[in-house]
Amino acid sequence: MTDKPLKAVIVDDEELGRMRVCQLLEDESDIDVCAVLENGQQAVEWLGQHSADVLFLDIQMPEMDGFEVLRCCKSGPATPSFLLVIFVTAYHEYAVEAFR
């Protein structure tokens, strides 16, 4: 096991959602929040240029939802070999698709 903290990215179109995830992670010494992004396009661009270990990803966002973000990242040249995705959403109806 390494002493390096996990590099985390938070993606949520709602400011309160982003703030809440940041609050939950701020006391975790083994997680370093590298980016806090407002939409799916920003996430795809960021992940195309940087690496991360864990992605806190909102599902329902305008323009590009969380599932589309993952589809875009799968085909990108800088796709990390391992990226843990934690879906954050207020909508229970997305649970089944999120587990796929």
Side-chain angles (χ1 to χ4, degrees):
M1 186 89 180
T2 179
D3 290 330
K4 287 183 9 180
L6 294 174
K7 295 189 296 184
V9 176
I10 299 167
V11 183
D12 196 322
D13 64 314
E14 299 283 339
E15 183 177 4
L16 289 176
R18 294 188 303 271
M19 288 173 45
R20 181 64 178 137
V21 176
C22 285
Q23 286 175 337
L24 291 169
L25 297 175
E26 68 186 12
D27 291 332
E28 300 299 326
S29 61
D30 54 348
I31 297 179
D32 179 25
V33 176
C34 298
V36 179
L37 308 170
E38 298 178 11
N39 59 58
Q41 186 60 44
Q42 288 179 356
V44 170
E45 290 172 10
W46 195 94
L47 291 167
Q49 299 175 17
H50 304 89
S51 65
D53 300 306
V54 61
L55 177 64
F56 292 87
L57 181 60
D58 187 13
I59 294 175
Q60 185 175 12
M61 296 183 287
E63 307 288 324
M64 180 184 290
D65 68 23
F67 299 120
E68 192 173 351
V69 168
L70 292 181
R71 284 190 290 276
C72 288
C73 289
K74 275 187 179 180
S75 61
T79 303
S81 59
F82 177 76
L83 177 64
L84 176 64
V85 178
I86 299 173
F87 287 110
V88 291
T89 185
Y91 301 95
H92 69 279
E93 59 267 19
Y94 294 113
V96 173
E97 189 173 352
F99 281 108
R100 288 186 206 154

